[in-house]
Amino acid sequence: MMHWFEGPLAAFDTETTGVDVEEDRIVSAALVVQDTAGGRTRVTRWLVNPGVPVPAGATEIHGLTDDHLQRNGRWPAPVVEEIARALAEQCATGRPLVVMNAPFDLTLLDRELKRHRASSLSRYLQNSPLCVLDPRVLDKHLDRYRKGRRTLTDLCELYGVVLDGAHDAAADATASLELIRAVGRRFSGRLERLTPAELHTLQAVWHAAQARGLQAWFTKSGTPEEVDPAWPLRPELHAAA
């Protein structure tokens, strides 16, 4: 019997103008699909002209400049539509979607859909609900007392996954896919009896608990930062009346 972490998976990643999911924009994205562990991957890439300046700090991370995006990027509206449809297609086939730190990428995509399509991610997924596997949430739950950072780079190093070209959307998505397989193998005794759908539900609970713990630490240390417990998608912020 093939376990879920050896079977069909898809992975999604974005590169952006910054880290504010409500205001920042997608500049590139990638969807990587693999039918079985070790099999050939199918990669879809999108390059976006966000219509706003790309801060120098963001360019230093992913290497995408205003000039390059203006010359080679597409307008956001058709791109975010294509991305949402591509994710919905994966969900419709029952293929779990691997997203590292899912609340960031999926929420940002949702806000881009609102901004450019007057729509939402949930509208595209209304007939095929999300089934997300988040390496960060899983690792933090399964090895909760391990100290150290849990970025994609850190987790790839820990689990022996090759990350070739960090902060390229396709490279990061590919590494996230291999990382979730590595997490599944390492903790197979605790994960193999759970379906991806069951794990999706559990991760929402685990992430909320992790967020509460981090919030308590921030409060104790006097850090004025709020941690959103929602996973894999943050609720829309409504402007005050």
Side-chain angles (χ1 to χ4, degrees):
M1 176 181 174
M2 180 183 290
H3 301 307
W4 62 261
F5 45 84
E6 303 292 355
L9 293 174
F12 175 65
D13 188 75
T14 64
E15 296 300 326
T16 67
T17 59
V19 297
D20 184 341
V21 296
E22 303 296 337
E23 299 296 336
D24 279 308
R25 313 297 176 89
I26 294 172
V27 296
S28 70
L31 178 67
V32 177
V33 179
Q34 188 180 47
D35 293 327
T36 186
R40 183 177 65 88
T41 57
R42 302 185 295 280
V43 183
T44 305
R45 296 177 174 86
W46 294 272
L47 191 66
V48 186
N49 178 355
V52 300
V54 180
T59 296
E60 287 178 8
I61 292 173
H62 51 57
L64 297 171
T65 65
D66 278 328
D67 181 67
H68 180 75
L69 294 170
Q70 289 169 11
R71 289 174 180 272
N72 301 286
R74 297 166 58 203
W75 288 112
V79 173
V80 296
E81 166 98 6
E82 288 177 17
I83 293 172
R85 291 188 181 278
L87 298 189
E89 181 180 341
Q90 296 305 315
C91 293
T93 66
R95 188 177 280 113
L97 186 64
V98 179
V99 190
M100 175 73 182
N101 192 18
F104 178 79
D105 295 86
L106 296 182
T107 303
L108 202 147
L109 173 60
D110 178 77
R111 304 312 191 252
E112 288 277 61
L113 287 165
K114 176 186 176 183
R115 183 177 296 119
H116 297 291
R117 305 297 301 185
S119 188
S120 66
L121 185 56
S122 62
R123 287 183 61 183
Y124 289 87
L125 299 170
Q126 57 187 347
N127 296 319
S128 48
L130 277 169
C131 180
V132 175
L133 298 170
D134 188 332
R136 187 172 183 272
V137 174
L138 283 173
D139 172 75
K140 197 168 184 179
H141 176 78
L142 295 164
D143 197 359
R144 67 183 69 183
Y145 299 113
R146 190 186 76 248
K147 295 182 179 180
R149 290 156 48 90
R150 298 179 193 252
T151 67
L152 179 60
T153 300
D154 296 316
L155 293 183
C156 284
E157 182 177 353
L158 177 69
Y159 285 89
V161 171
V162 174
L163 174 53
D164 187 9
H167 301 299
D168 169 82
D172 286 358
T174 300
S176 296
L177 189 151
E178 293 301 328
L179 178 59
I180 209 72
R181 295 196 190 281
V183 172
R185 294 182 191 113
R186 180 170 296 189
F187 296 99
S188 61
R190 299 167 65 181
L191 295 177
E192 64 185 7
R193 292 181 176 83
L194 295 168
T195 66
E198 290 170 332
L199 275 173
H200 178 97
T201 300
L202 287 169
Q203 284 169 105
V205 176
W206 296 341
H207 179 271
Q210 292 162 9
R212 288 193 298 270
L214 183 57
Q215 187 69 73
W217 186 86
F218 281 153
T219 301
K220 184 177 180 180
S221 62
T223 303
E225 186 171 340
E226 293 191 10
V227 184
D228 196 320
W231 182 96
L233 184 67
R234 296 176 187 169
E236 184 178 340
L237 295 179
H238 295 285

